[in-house]
Amino acid sequence: MRISTIEVYQRDLPVAGGPYRMASTSVDALDTTIVRIIADNGLIGWGETCPVGPVYQPHHAGGARAALAEVAPGLIGLDPLGIEPAREAMDERLNGHGYAKAALDMALWDLAGRHYGARVCDLLGGARRERVPSYYATGVSEPAETARIAADKAAEGFTRLQIKLGGRPVEADIETLHAIADAVPRGVRLVADANRGWTARDAQLISNACAGFPLTLEQPCSTIEETVSIRSQLRHPVFLDESAEDLPAVLRAITANACEGFGLKLTRVGGIGALRAIRDVCAARSLPHTCDDAWGGDIVAAACVHVAATVSPALLDGVWIAAPWIDGHYDAERGIAIRDGFIDVPTGAGLGIEIDPAIFGEPIAVYG
Ligand SMILES: [Mg+2]
């Protein structure tokens, strides 16, 4: 079996109920890039990459498509079941740009699953459970409004709530966290995600002011170094998200004793194979983590859920997907959705998503 064709599609994903507000940016619609790998026997695989705007990470939608134009031709003629050789072939044509290569990696895993008649989670070592916990992320908003949303989401069944903060005076963030701590049951795990939006001083002020209740601080400061500089003075555990760029960065953070866990983004770290490696490193050091992506439709969501299903339940902190912010699905029947705070692991082979390519219109690029 050989890869004969790679198609690239583009789709706009308007933010339902938007905009989605983070410390440094606010987004109304996301530009997602979808790939379909077609083998010479007709077998196909789907992949996707969708940066959450151009400033969250050093990634953007146009960059993803430019990178795909560099690497996709190098996969034509290769055996699609050779996912690692395919990764090497991409690296030989372009340094970095793991978030773009991740779309092709995802498509290869999907295709391999369809070939073997196995789910991606089975290829990754087997699902530990058939339903994974999701979590809800509130956008940056006024304290009372955020507390109202948090209470609603806790009542819906979410056992973990991530509160977006930053980009405003720390007093507003402190007031927000106290309002939420008062509004949700104690069993709900709270995470304060500053998206790199706090200075070291801000993080210390907020942690001290919220010392009375359990809280995880996610990516409080911009870099691993800034985080390490204040770690010993914080009253709460720290997760790194944006700084966990890839496996080497995760290893750097662990070596520097920078955090107690990670928010992991599938396409940022380079795809399913890369996230599997980080999963295993985290397991070896008993570090909890999420299996998320920054944004994306059913394809990205399915990939996140498949990896998450294989993580030790004690170490999986949750799976964030963009579905609550997107109207509709690529696959109306099997699309990935959150029910009562949990997501069912897809049952079909590969990623378990069936898509009629016609919904994406004509491909914007075809290789092969
Ligand atoms: Mg985060």
Side-chain angles (χ1 to χ4, degrees):
M1 183 167 49
R2 302 285 158 194
I3 296 172
S4 61
T5 309
I6 297 175
E7 298 169 342
V8 179
Y9 299 87
Q10 187 276 336
R11 188 176 176 93
D12 288 326
L13 298 174
V15 178
Y20 188 77
R21 202 176 144 209
M22 295 173 283
S24 59
T25 186
S26 179
V27 292
D28 291 294
L30 284 312
D31 178 346
T32 194
T33 302
I34 292 145
V35 301
R36 186 165 77 130
I37 292 181
I38 307 169
D40 55 5
N41 63 358
L43 213 52
I44 61 105
W46 288 101
E48 181 177 19
T49 186
C50 184
V52 58
V55 299
Y56 172 69
Q57 296 272 175
H59 307 162
H60 69 115
R65 293 192 280 271
L68 287 170
E70 296 290 330
V71 300
L75 299 187
I76 303 302
L78 298 187
D79 177 356
L81 303 179
I83 298 175
E84 283 302 307
R87 182 185 57 76
E88 288 171 12
M90 290 194 278
D91 288 346
E92 284 167 6
R93 296 178 72 99
L94 181 69
N95 194 350
H97 299 77
Y99 73 106
K101 295 170 181 172
L104 294 168
D105 167 272
M106 209 180 288
L108 290 169
W109 282 96
D110 185 30
L111 192 152
R114 293 167 190 266
H115 171 79
Y116 293 119
R119 299 185 297 174
V120 168
C121 59
D122 298 322
L123 299 179
L124 294 170
R128 312 286 295 259
R129 50 187 164 172
E130 292 300 325
R131 212 168 71 118
V132 294
S134 185
Y135 66 93
Y136 189 85
T138 69
V140 179
S141 185
E142 294 308 308
E145 172 65 3
T146 316
R148 184 191 62 75
I149 294 168
D152 286 352
K153 294 301 168 184
E156 271 182 36
F158 287 95
T159 55
R160 184 185 198 262
L161 296 173
Q162 187 196 71
I163 317 305
K164 296 288 188 200
L165 299 166
R168 60 185 183 180
V170 291
E171 290 75 13
D173 286 346
I174 291 168
E175 188 182 341
T176 299
L177 288 168
H178 276 275
I180 291 168
D182 290 342
V184 303
R186 268 297 165 106
V188 175
R189 190 171 294 170
L190 297 180
V191 179
D193 187 1
N195 289 114
R196 300 181 293 169
W198 292 336
T199 62
R201 179 207 61 186
D202 295 345
Q204 285 186 55
L205 287 171
I206 289 164
S207 188
N208 281 329
C210 298
F213 53 90
L215 186 65
T216 297
L217 306 179
E218 181 165 314
Q219 195 71 46
C221 303
S222 189
T223 63
I224 291 174
E225 291 76 15
E226 284 177 30
T227 309
V228 169
S229 76
I230 53 163
R231 279 265 290 139
S232 63
Q233 294 151 67
L234 297 177
R235 313 286 290 269
H236 300 96
V238 169
F239 269 31
L240 288 179
D241 179 348
E242 287 90 327
S243 289
E245 291 175 337
D246 51 18
L247 177 58
V250 166
L251 292 172
R252 265 202 318 281
I254 293 172
T255 304
N257 192 27
C259 60
E260 279 87 10
F262 295 97
L264 296 175
K265 301 287 188 288
L266 189 148
T267 53
R268 178 182 68 215
V269 302
I272 289 173
L275 185 55
R276 173 185 59 181
I278 295 173
R279 172 200 72 182
D280 294 343
V281 165
C282 287
R285 290 295 295 263
S286 304
L287 290 165
H289 60 88
T290 67
C291 284
D292 315 320
D293 213 334
W295 211 269
D298 284 324
I299 304 168
V300 158
C304 292
V305 171
H306 278 285
V307 181
T310 69
V311 176
S312 163
L315 295 182
L316 180 68
D317 230 46
V319 182
W320 184 90
I321 61 173
W325 303 88
I326 298 172
D327 282 329
H329 289 279
Y330 302 161
D331 177 342
E333 190 184 331
R334 288 160 292 251
I336 307 299
I338 303 168
R339 293 183 188 86
D340 303 326
F342 287 78
I343 307 170
D344 291 335
V345 182
T347 55
L351 291 173
I353 299 291
E354 299 301 332
I355 301 173
D356 176 357
I359 68 164
F360 300 132
E362 290 296 310
I364 57 169
V366 179
Y367 305 97

